[in-house]
Amino acid sequence: MNDYMYTDQHEWVCVEGGVAIMGISIYAAEQLGDIVYVELPDIGASVSQGDEIAVVESVKAASEIYAPVSGVVIEINEALGEAPDTVNEDPRGEGWLLKLKMNKPADLEKLMDEAAYDSFIEDLG
Amino acid sequence: MHSDIKTTSGHRGLQQEEGLIFELAQPGVSGVDLPAPKGGPSRLGGLERSAPIGLPGLTEPETVRHYVRISQKNYSIDTGFYPLGSCTMKHNPRLNEKMARLPGFADVHPLQPAQTVQGALALIDTCAHWLKQLSGMAAVAMSPRAGAHGELCGLMAIRAAHDAKGEARKYVLVPDSAHGTNPATAAACGYEVKTIPSKANGRVDLQALLGSLDDDCAALMLTNPNTCGLFERNVLDIAEAVHGVGAYFYCDGANFNALVGKVRPGDLGVDAMHINLHKTFSTPHGGGGPGSGPVVLSEALAPFAPLPFVVQGTSGFDVTENEVDSPQAFGRLGAFHGQMGMFVRAVAYMMSHGADGLKQVAEDAVLSANYIKASLEDVMSVSYEGPCMHEVLFDDRFLQGSGVSTLDFAKALIDEGYHPMTVYFPLVVHGAMLIEPTETESKQSLDSFIKVMRALALAVKEEGAAARFAAAPQLTPRRRLDETQAARQPILRWRPQAEPAQAAE
């Protein structure tokens, strides 16, 4: 699997063979607090980069999750329905949200790498 | 610590421990003595009940005590200061209650012939007149039952106006500091929601707004003063830009308490605004009574107002019920005219204050909020510099490094006998605490609250503060509830012990 890349909305994405797996960053999971519900899109849904694709609800607030790249939803993490806390426990692993079949690889150029994202969140204070 | 004392009964002095009514019930007990049915053939045609009905059995005094004890666990505006931001928890004057209980208002039925309820219709008309005068708007729909219902009414009128012009517009603009009901309303009306960011001064980013506007915009939904307690200074430019692309300007009137008698939304270019009678006009809410959210409408939207509405004819008042008489009305939001009991209370409030008194309401509400701001800004972190309107917004910068969170701070306030302020809203600042004192609190009452807040803010810096605040509240009938567990695995109904509880039913 390739490296993690990030949006300025705190989603991460990993690309392998034209399929992007995505979730929310450790920073986002910490900021949201205890996550109690995850609303995922239907398989087959088509999205453009930056479109709202999911909703993560914590005890504090409901937050929209945006598509880090354009594509078609091919798989969602069904296990989150019963165990939304997985997103808190392992946001970059077991707590992944969904997989997109990418149709616009150039989208990746707009994302940050690990180092750029780290300095981005540092600037947020 | 008295909180450590264990009692045999489970009661704690006058604080009565109380179970669920089903747990208190005894089989076969009833508060009503009915004679046993005397034989004879059944007339239920085979539909007789085959199992116990499952209602709790209690005597009448047990039932009365149960509900009285539960009611005593409520915290209400009649119990103490209730600084919940954006909710305008002001005193509900008892004069309003007396008026609402007059038989001519209390004992009427919405299906009575109009000529038998002329007084009630005149009161609805009077309430409508005051709302139009105070807002500077052409018309008002009285029927919405609450603020969010009013938003729905306003957006449906806007949608009807676009439809009438044959325009299918796509989106509604909503600032990021908006009440959550705004985007929800826009989405419920079939519009896409586009968010406009706030600037560092807590107000809408005008440039971003102008950049987002085009012919596909149906409406802007703006709260003014906004949820940061700040007046949107660019409101006239905003209105002009919105109208410039043929869109409508919806104002969320939840914070009208800061403007009533001072500023007329109609003069700001607003096309539709709900007015929460249960906030600005002192009718009870928060469990104390139903909401009521009349919507004032501009000339452009007036023809689309929903049915029914009261009209004054040559022979008195009447109710327009049919589309024949108002062909462009977008429909009907409910069976009848709206919350009659709330109209009576609101009119009592308007008339007892008068126009000059309502102006003072806004002035005193703003003064109270600024007094709290000035009294706490050296120990807490105010989010935005400069004077605020009717509510003051703090964030959690003053808690940084203490291990105490906004939630912990709010819980500690409960031990001091106060209902906490609004927390974690608006979302535009970190760990928000939004305090709205309203004009009905005396200086003494504000000073007592300030004293407590200062003490808590200073206690945050003490050794061991994190653990102490995390343990709050300690003096309540129940300690801190597990909000996460309650949201993840809600148990929404009682079941007999034999039957295992199912989560999230």
Side-chain angles (χ1 to χ4, degrees):
Chain A
M1 192 174 276
N2 289 318
D3 294 337
Y4 288 88
M5 286 189 281
Y6 296 86
T7 68
D8 59 3
Q9 298 289 324
H10 310 287
E11 291 93 10
W12 60 259
V13 64
C14 263
V15 181
E16 197 174 66
V19 172
I21 177 168
M22 70 163 290
I24 63 170
S25 70
I26 294 171
Y27 174 83
E30 280 170 2
Q31 291 295 311
L32 284 169
D34 291 340
I35 290 162
V36 296
Y37 181 68
V38 181
E39 186 182 313
L40 295 170
D42 293 333
I43 288 170
S46 183
V47 289
S48 299
Q49 186 174 40
D51 284 356
E52 185 184 320
I53 195 170
V55 178
V56 171
E57 193 177 328
S58 75
V59 287
K60 286 188 204 163
S63 306
E64 288 88 16
I65 305 300
Y66 302 96
V69 292
S70 309
V72 176
V73 178
I74 53 166
E75 196 179 336
I76 57 173
N77 189 352
E78 306 268 7
L80 300 181
E82 286 297 311
D85 43 319
T86 315
V87 180
N88 286 119
E89 285 153 17
D90 189 11
R92 298 207 310 175
E94 292 294 309
W96 63 278
L97 300 182
L98 54 97
K99 291 179 186 174
L100 287 164
K101 176 90 186 152
M102 288 178 64
N103 53 23
K104 210 173 153 198
D107 285 344
L108 294 170
E109 289 161 22
K110 296 175 198 155
L111 304 179
M112 288 177 262
D113 63 14
E114 194 90 47
Y117 181 70
D118 283 348
S119 79
F120 172 69
I121 54 178
E122 202 158 300
D123 289 344
L124 294 176
Chain B
M1 268 294 265
H2 292 304
S3 61
D4 296 335
I5 297 175
K6 293 271 179 289
T7 60
T8 308
S9 62
H11 301 319
R12 304 183 64 76
L14 301 182
Q15 207 173 73
Q16 307 278 344
E17 185 60 22
E18 188 66 6
L20 300 176
I21 196 162
F22 287 94
E23 294 167 348
L24 303 174
Q26 294 292 328
V29 174
S30 172
V32 192
D33 241 346
L34 290 174
K38 281 198 201 107
S42 167
R43 291 185 289 167
L44 292 173
L47 298 172
E48 293 87 347
R49 181 157 45 81
S50 56
I53 194 165
L55 289 175
L58 288 89
T59 66
E60 181 171 320
E62 283 172 336
T63 311
V64 169
R65 276 184 193 149
H66 175 71
Y67 286 106
V68 169
R69 286 174 177 184
I70 288 175
S71 75
Q72 286 170 337
K73 292 180 176 31
N74 279 338
Y75 189 93
S76 69
I77 191 69
D78 294 346
T79 321
F81 183 43
Y82 206 135
L84 206 53
S86 228
C87 291
T88 316
M89 303 300 291
K90 63 167 78 170
H91 172 64
N92 313 135
R94 292 308 184 260
L95 175 66
N96 301 0
E97 299 304 317
K98 187 169 181 185
M99 294 301 112
R101 282 164 180 72
L102 291 174
F105 293 133
D107 299 341
V108 292
H109 191 280
L111 291 178
Q112 266 177 258
Q115 60 271 31
T116 67
V117 285
Q118 285 293 304
L121 296 180
L123 181 124
I124 296 177
D125 189 64
T126 302
C127 190
H129 172 77
W130 277 78
L131 296 176
K132 286 185 284 186
Q133 286 290 311
L134 289 166
S135 62
M137 306 279 270
V140 59
M142 297 299 286
S143 59
R145 268 48 164 191
H149 202 212
E151 290 179 35
L152 183 67
C153 174
L155 263 276
M156 287 177 82
I158 287 169
R159 184 155 199 130
H162 287 306
D163 286 349
K165 284 186 267 185
E167 291 183 3
R169 295 189 172 227
K170 294 200 179 96
Y171 65 86
V172 168
L173 289 176
V174 180
D176 57 6
S177 63
H179 294 115
T181 46
N182 290 182
T185 300
C189 286
Y191 290 113
E192 193 188 316
V193 177
K194 277 199 193 175
T195 306
I196 321 163
S198 298
K199 289 215 299 189
N201 67 5
R203 289 153 176 104
V204 164
D205 185 338
L206 183 62
Q207 292 316 313
L209 171 75
L210 296 178
S212 311
L213 268 178
D214 60 31
D215 293 349
D216 276 333
C217 179
L220 163 76
M221 297 182 85
L222 184 76
T223 310
N224 199 14
N226 67 22
T227 61
C228 302
L230 303 171
F231 191 81
E232 292 285 359
R233 296 175 193 141
N234 292 323
V235 65
L236 291 173
D237 295 335
I238 290 171
E240 197 185 327
V242 168
H243 292 149
V245 296
Y248 293 98
F249 179 7
Y250 186 91
C251 183
D252 180 325
N255 296 339
F256 191 49
N257 203 47
L259 302 183
V260 62
K262 300 286 285 185
V263 176
R264 301 191 311 166
D267 297 336
L268 304 180
V270 170
D271 292 298
M273 181 179 90
H274 69 268
I275 298 176
N276 305 75
L277 297 185
H278 53 279
K279 294 182 182 181
T280 309
F281 296 100
S282 80
T283 72
H285 65 128
S292 180
V295 175
V296 286
L297 299 166
S298 63
E299 292 282 357
L301 294 179
F304 306 99
L307 296 164
F309 49 83
V310 173
V311 285
Q312 193 170 12
T314 45
S315 57
F317 292 97
D318 204 358
V319 181
T320 298
E321 293 272 8
N322 299 309
E323 285 179 24
V324 183
D325 303 312
S326 182
Q328 287 189 294
F330 71 71
R332 188 179 273 271
L333 287 166
F336 302 119
H337 327 302
Q339 308 284 25
M340 183 63 198
M342 297 303 127
F343 299 158
V344 181
R345 289 171 174 86
V347 168
Y349 183 78
M350 291 163 178
M351 291 193 156
S352 57
H353 281 74
D356 56 336
L358 289 176
K359 185 167 167 240
Q360 197 187 337
V361 161
E363 288 170 353
D364 288 356
V366 171
L367 183 62
S368 294
N370 278 286
Y371 181 62
I372 288 184
K373 177 174 177 284
S375 306
L376 294 176
E377 62 191 349
D378 60 324
V379 290
M380 291 173 66
S381 35
V382 177
S383 297
Y384 300 107
E385 292 303 315
C388 59
M389 294 292 285
H390 62 303
E391 56 194 351
V392 50
L393 180 61
F394 297 93
D395 53 48
D396 64 3
R397 279 171 296 157
F398 77 103
L399 298 174
Q400 246 168 34
S402 67
V404 177
S405 70
T406 288
L407 185 69
D408 300 336
F409 196 82
K411 298 289 183 192
L413 203 51
I414 299 175
D415 273 338
E416 295 285 350
Y418 286 98
H419 192 290
M421 67 300 264
T422 292
V423 293
Y424 299 112
F425 179 83
L427 305 173
V428 290
V429 300
H430 201 271
M433 298 179 211
L434 185 64
I435 298 175
E436 179 178 5
T438 84
E439 72 285 357
T440 59
E441 296 301 324
S442 63
K443 179 166 179 298
Q444 189 182 16
S445 153
L446 296 179
D447 284 337
S448 307
F449 175 70
I450 288 163
K451 188 177 166 191
V452 166
M453 290 292 279
R454 289 191 69 85
L456 288 176
L458 294 174
V460 164
K461 313 272 186 271
E462 289 166 11
E463 185 85 20
R468 218 166 44 251
F469 275 81
Q474 304 208 46
L475 304 174
T476 42
R478 290 289 180 278
R479 302 289 296 277
R480 196 185 297 200
L481 305 177
D482 185 341
E483 295 179 0
T484 306
Q485 183 76 359
R488 283 178 182 163
Q489 289 172 307
I491 297 169
L492 302 177
R493 57 161 289 200
W494 174 87
R495 284 168 189 279
Q497 287 212 322
E499 212 181 324
Q502 293 287 314
E505 186 170 315

